Amino acid sequence: MATRIGSDEQMQAPAATMLDPSRLPYPFCPGCGHGHILDALDRALVRLGRPAHEVAIVTDIGCVGLSDQYFVTHAFHGLHGRAVTYATGIKLARPELTVVVLIGDGGCGIGGHHLISAARRNVGVTVLVFDNFNFGMTGGQHSVLTPSGSITATTPAGNLEAPMDVAATAAVNGASFVARTTAFDPGLDALIYEALSTDGFALLDIWELCTAYFVPNNRFSRKAMEAMLASSGMASGVLVHRQRPELARTLASASQGAPASRVAPAAGGRAGGIEPRFQSRLERRRSLTLAGAAGEKVRSAATVLARAAVLSGLYATQRDDYPVTVMTGHSISELVVSPEPIGYTGVPAPDILVVTAPEGAGVTASLPSRMGPGTRIYVEHSLAGRIGATRASVEPFYADRLGKRAAALAVLAAVAEREGLVSAEALRASVDMESRETVAQEMRQALEERQTVWEPAAPSRKVT
Amino acid sequence: MRRAFITGAQAIVQGALDAGCDFFAGYPITPASPILAGMVRALPGRGGVAIQAEDEIASIGMCIGAAMAGRRAMTATSGPGISLYSENVGLAIMAEVPLVIVDVQRLGPATGGATTVAQGDLQFVRWGTSGGYPIVAFSPSDAAECYHLTMKAFAWAERLRAPVFLLADKEVVMTADTVDPDRLVPYPVEGRRLADPGKPYRPYAVEAPEDVPAFAPIGGPIVTRVNTSTHDEAGYLTKQPAKVDRLNRHLSAKIEAAAREIEDVVLDLLPGATTLIVSYGVSARSARDAVLELRRAGRAVSLAVLRSVWPLPARALSRALEGVRRVVVAELNLGQLRLEVERLAAGGREVSGVHRVDGELITPEEIARAVA
């Protein structure tokens, strides 16, 4: 079916063409298929009946990249291989638009990953592959769609590589509509129209002749191409046509969810933030390193203390360190609390070191020797032997009776109170700011048990 | 007086939202991932779109497409991702695309240290695309500045129709910081200048070279053409030398003409001081501490903290250099800003640097020692 202009589906003032007559004719070589495909695209767009400003044509690099300037629609001429990414951005920004991507076989190689992901996402753009089996603009080099054995500028002895089946790739990865044909197919207009009408990702692999390079190099012809299509083992005609949710509209409807809250106080302090309401007698900057292990809730415990400091009118910073494999190994938090705004956030040698686990002791092994007089190390009693020579005073604590998830917070709270950093009330108020109630419950329990850490556990209850 | 206890990443997200950002695409990379996570949570509830793309190239590509369809777009990555953004940064310059790019610097080169702080991308963001054109970049030293400078980056991206970098770092983005509300200073963001629907539209037409062309979004009622290749004022490919020359000079002129207004330097100058410390980003925090210490010890030192790094705020730095004999530049690289300061300070001034590339922060003591 080769539908010409004047379809009965036109809702608005019918345009006879979407081409710009003042810019024609096309600049392509005699016999090149590009002009055929652009004419077919024009007829399909006319039949679609949308006004020019509701259509965007995105072009890749290569001879096909010259195409957009012959249309009166919106146009975007971008980088080689990336046309699908711009088209995706345009479609996500304005889901109501008809977005068409024109790329060559070269673009299918350099941008192949984008094609796969566009098919996966089923973003509602139509990709027309101007597939003439080689790079035309740069001198007839082979592409990822060049047939095996073909002679090109870079395969003088014949292409040793197998071509990618771009249509099958799009189809198997979830595209809503995929077809393969040639530029000579009288049904090309109808296929393009089908693709444009598809609510989802559509791709047409359109085989055509590059009369500058591929035809002379391979004694190629329309007849040879049609024979190749029949014998290649690649499917032709419509490969898939199916219903799947289209990404742009799905995202747009997801946007109707509940508004997110502010992460920072607005200017003027109308929302968010922490209102200081406790007193602190801290007179100078103090630093604390909490050295524990994954699973001990080290970072959450440090945040409770930092927030308690802010609740007490102090400034606080918190830096965390842990391995990329987050559920194993050390977990370290470095805190600075100060009555003054904090500049340098580093803690090369803390005023207070709290060691709750062997993993933390290992990573901070060099700290004790750097700590000076007047500093203190609080160490889980069984790890006391791992603290090397130091001028800091070393005090053991006993967390055996506490669960692994409670020990770090209980000890940190006990240390904070003993060191005069913040009050127990401030710590409780900080825990109250925890939004997950089950976590808050665990934290409250840990706070209540904080004073037990200074006493050795009864032998009968000791975990061995 | 409510205070915030937030990371730089949270402040960047809030700054973007307050700047009217309604499109974000990114790809996971430490230490920029918290911004991606924050945007995918924040934007949908506000009518925006946030998406994790298949790679960095697609991330910036989607942002460019959305920006030219009228959205306020932002993306965030780290040095390795900026490498992959490079060609599209050139597109954004050439096609005049308003876009905010957050670079959360980590130690490099290549994969480098994923969780390690550095300031090694200063010259990279300046020269990171082919062709050689001016770029705009702001560098925050704490969470409050992350908020303010993210908004400022949007303001200038929109106004200049150009990519603008927020040159942050692992430490500033991932460390939780206490922020006084009076330091969360918004920056007014006006939308890009729109085309007049009553007049014929040429997408890249400007009267003077430093003018910014009026914008018509893809999909809007005025049909437009976006072109990354050398183009004429109508957006069509051209090789005519006069038109090519005009385009290339325009791309530079619009940034250079705005340089004085973009310039953002916090000067703490002490009359009579002959020593000036210059820093930016996370190292500026240590520089401030060092200046406090030195002054307590009776030393007269001045401090210049750059919040805009590109275009180089030469005017403010030259003023700070008046009467100065010694300059100390503190940065987490081997002298990228120092190179610029040396040129400005030429003529009898001694310029030295405090540089670290071991993944640790510069301490205030190191800076104080360099001054002493």
Side-chain angles (χ1 to χ4, degrees):
Chain A
M1 185 180 74
T3 307
R4 299 288 305 199
I5 54 176
S7 155
D8 57 4
E9 296 185 47
Q10 289 173 355
M11 304 297 287
Q12 313 214 11
T17 178
M18 289 283 185
L19 292 166
D20 181 350
S22 73
R23 298 195 65 82
L24 291 169
Y26 302 124
F28 307 118
C29 301
C32 170
H34 286 13
H36 290 293
I37 303 174
L38 295 181
D39 284 344
L41 171 62
D42 176 47
R43 292 190 292 267
L45 284 171
V46 167
R47 184 177 166 200
L48 194 68
R50 302 198 72 181
H53 72 268
E54 292 176 6
V55 179
I57 294 179
V58 182
T59 54
D60 210 80
I61 295 295
C63 297
V64 69
L66 303 170
S67 303
D68 58 88
Q69 55 191 328
Y70 300 95
F71 286 84
V72 296
T73 63
H74 293 283
F76 187 117
H77 178 53
L79 300 180
H80 187 34
R82 316 304 169 196
V84 168
T85 69
Y86 313 126
T88 300
I90 291 167
K91 184 72 179 177
L92 297 186
R94 292 181 181 253
E96 74 281 8
L97 293 185
T98 293
V99 182
V100 189
V101 176
L102 311 181
I103 65 172
D105 40 292
C108 291
I110 187 170
H113 186 26
H114 306 312
L115 284 176
I116 291 171
S117 282
R120 255 188 335 102
R121 294 187 179 107
N122 204 34
V123 62
V125 306
T126 292
V127 176
L128 304 186
V129 181
F130 289 54
D131 184 358
N132 59 14
F133 315 111
N134 70 177
F135 287 76
M137 188 173 263
T138 50
Q141 299 85 356
H142 75 105
S143 78
V144 296
L145 304 191
T146 302
S148 300
S150 303
I151 308 294
T152 71
T154 45
T155 55
N159 184 22
L160 299 176
E161 302 175 11
M164 172 170 83
D165 187 336
V166 67
T169 302
V172 78
N173 281 291
S176 272
F177 181 84
V178 179
R180 174 179 284 121
T181 188
T182 75
F184 299 104
D185 179 1
L188 181 59
D189 302 15
L191 281 176
I192 296 176
Y193 175 78
E194 285 291 307
L196 295 174
S197 307
T198 298
D199 183 27
F201 183 74
L203 182 140
L204 254 70
D205 182 25
I206 307 167
W207 289 13
E208 50 150 322
L209 300 178
C210 175
T211 49
Y213 299 106
F214 200 82
V215 164
N217 284 339
N218 295 282
R219 295 186 187 161
F220 204 55
S221 64
R222 172 179 176 176
K223 206 171 158 189
M225 184 168 70
E226 284 165 354
M228 188 170 84
L229 186 61
S231 66
S232 67
M234 294 188 188
S236 61
V238 176
L239 276 71
V240 294
H241 195 178
R242 62 190 161 206
Q243 295 288 320
R244 273 188 66 212
E246 193 276 325
L247 180 77
R249 272 190 297 104
T250 307
L251 274 179
S253 56
S255 291
Q256 310 307 318
S261 59
R262 292 187 69 84
V263 296
R270 67 182 149 79
I274 300 169
E275 182 76 53
R277 58 181 191 273
F278 301 99
Q279 298 295 314
S280 168
R281 284 170 301 168
L282 197 71
E283 288 176 348
R284 62 183 175 88
R285 171 189 170 117
R286 304 286 297 280
S287 58
L288 182 152
T289 297
L290 175 59
E296 289 190 311
K297 302 284 162 196
V298 165
R299 287 184 283 157
S300 313
T303 300
V304 167
L305 174 51
R307 226 163 33 202
V310 179
L311 281 163
S312 308
L314 300 170
Y315 292 84
T317 61
Q318 178 181 347
R319 308 164 78 206
D320 302 320
D321 181 56
Y322 45 91
V324 288
T325 50
V326 293
M327 291 181 70
T328 182
H330 69 271
S331 180
I332 310 284
S333 283
E334 294 177 344
L335 293 171
V336 177
V337 292
S338 172
E340 303 295 326
I342 296 161
Y344 172 62
T345 53
V347 183
D351 299 313
I352 303 161
L353 171 64
V354 180
V355 180
T356 62
E359 293 90 336
V363 172
T364 58
S366 68
L367 289 188
S369 66
R370 283 192 251 148
M371 294 171 68
T375 63
R376 269 179 293 283
I377 298 171
Y378 296 93
V379 59
E380 205 280 332
H381 65 97
S382 68
L383 300 172
R386 297 190 54 162
I387 304 298
T390 181
R391 286 173 295 169
S393 67
V394 181
E395 293 192 34
F397 63 81
Y398 304 85
D400 316 64
R401 61 174 77 75
L402 297 163
K404 190 182 182 190
R405 290 164 63 87
L409 179 57
V411 171
L412 196 62
V415 168
E417 211 172 6
R418 178 172 285 198
E419 295 280 347
L421 302 178
V422 295
S423 66
E425 291 72 29
L427 287 165
R428 281 192 209 102
S430 175
V431 165
D432 287 342
M433 293 176 71
E434 168 59 50
S435 56
R436 296 158 299 175
E437 189 45 40
T438 51
V439 175
Q441 282 297 347
E442 279 182 4
M443 287 177 159
R444 285 188 194 103
Q445 188 66 30
L447 281 190
E448 292 318 306
E449 295 183 27
R450 68 189 182 281
Q451 292 305 338
T452 67
V453 305
W454 303 127
E455 302 150 17
S460 60
R461 296 185 63 191
K462 193 164 184 172
V463 178
T464 55
Chain B
M1 188 179 65
R2 300 179 79 86
R3 282 178 176 153
F5 182 63
I6 53 173
T7 62
Q10 289 173 297
I12 289 168
V13 169
Q14 192 66 62
L17 297 177
D18 287 0
C21 174
D22 56 4
F23 192 92
F24 183 93
Y27 182 79
I29 183 169
T30 305
S33 298
I35 300 170
L36 166 62
M39 294 305 281
V40 297
R41 283 167 184 271
L43 273 187
R46 295 171 162 82
V49 173
I51 185 167
Q52 178 179 320
E54 60 269 29
D55 59 23
E56 279 92 347
I57 295 172
S59 301
I60 187 170
M62 289 181 192
C63 285
I64 287 168
M68 295 317 269
R71 299 274 185 149
R72 283 188 193 167
M74 180 171 89
T75 183
T77 186
S78 188
I82 300 291
S83 306
L84 293 168
Y85 282 7
S86 169
E87 193 183 14
N88 267 316
V89 171
L91 182 155
I93 291 168
M94 182 59 122
E96 308 200 45
V97 181
L99 173 64
V100 172
I101 303 169
V102 183
D103 177 7
V104 187
Q105 296 170 94
R106 66 190 221 185
L107 195 63
T111 312
T115 58
T116 313
V117 68
Q119 292 177 287
D121 295 353
L122 181 78
Q123 296 286 354
F124 181 36
V125 299
R126 171 66 186 86
W127 300 106
T129 191
S130 60
Y133 292 95
I135 206 85
V136 178
F138 298 100
S139 187
S141 68
D142 59 22
E145 289 183 348
C146 282
Y147 175 79
H148 176 76
L149 294 178
T150 298
M151 293 192 75
K152 195 163 184 175
F154 269 98
W156 283 101
E158 289 287 318
R159 189 161 152 190
L160 293 171
R161 281 187 58 181
V164 173
F165 281 94
L166 186 76
L167 188 66
D169 61 73
K170 177 261 171 185
E171 204 63 37
V172 161
V173 165
M174 295 191 75
T175 300
D177 202 357
T178 310
V179 182
D180 284 320
D182 58 357
R183 294 204 60 234
L184 284 173
V185 183
Y187 190 90
V189 183
E190 288 170 23
R192 56 202 88 157
R193 185 169 68 87
L194 294 177
D196 182 346
K199 290 182 183 167
Y201 180 58
R202 292 191 305 153
Y204 292 105
V206 288
E207 283 185 18
E210 66 272 20
D211 290 350
V212 177
F215 180 79
I218 290 176
I222 302 172
V223 171
T224 189
R225 311 188 55 78
V226 179
N227 199 335
T228 182
S229 297
T230 305
H231 50 263
D232 63 17
E233 294 199 330
Y236 293 107
L237 303 172
T238 185
K239 286 180 76 174
Q240 289 182 38
K243 290 181 176 177
V244 173
D245 183 76
R246 185 173 159 84
L247 167 65
N248 284 316
R249 289 184 190 279
H250 153 71
L251 294 177
S252 283
K254 69 172 180 178
I255 308 284
E256 281 159 10
R260 288 173 74 120
E261 258 188 281
I262 293 169
E263 190 169 287
D264 188 346
V265 180
V266 181
L267 294 177
D268 179 4
L269 306 181
L270 213 58
T274 56
T275 300
L276 172 71
I277 298 172
V278 182
S279 193
Y280 61 100
V282 67
S283 299
R285 302 176 71 120
S286 299
R288 285 191 204 102
D289 281 1
V291 166
L292 284 176
E293 273 177 47
L294 287 162
R295 286 179 183 171
R296 272 192 212 113
R299 293 291 306 272
V301 290
S302 289
L303 174 67
V305 173
L306 277 60
R307 302 207 303 181
S308 66
V309 288
W310 302 116
L312 187 75
R315 214 168 43 106
L317 278 176
S318 296
R319 197 168 78 226
L321 284 165
E322 280 168 23
V324 163
R325 288 197 295 272
R326 292 185 59 204
V327 187
V328 174
V329 182
E331 54 184 335
L332 291 172
N333 59 55
L334 294 178
Q336 296 185 20
L337 179 65
R338 179 162 54 82
L339 189 72
E340 305 292 335
V341 173
E342 278 168 355
R343 289 193 290 135
L344 288 174
R349 296 185 188 91
E350 176 204 336
V351 180
S352 62
V354 180
H355 307 296
R356 286 187 84 149
V357 287
D358 63 348
E360 299 289 330
L361 297 171
I362 295 168
T363 67
E365 293 73 27
E366 286 173 290
I367 300 172
R369 273 200 304 274
V371 167

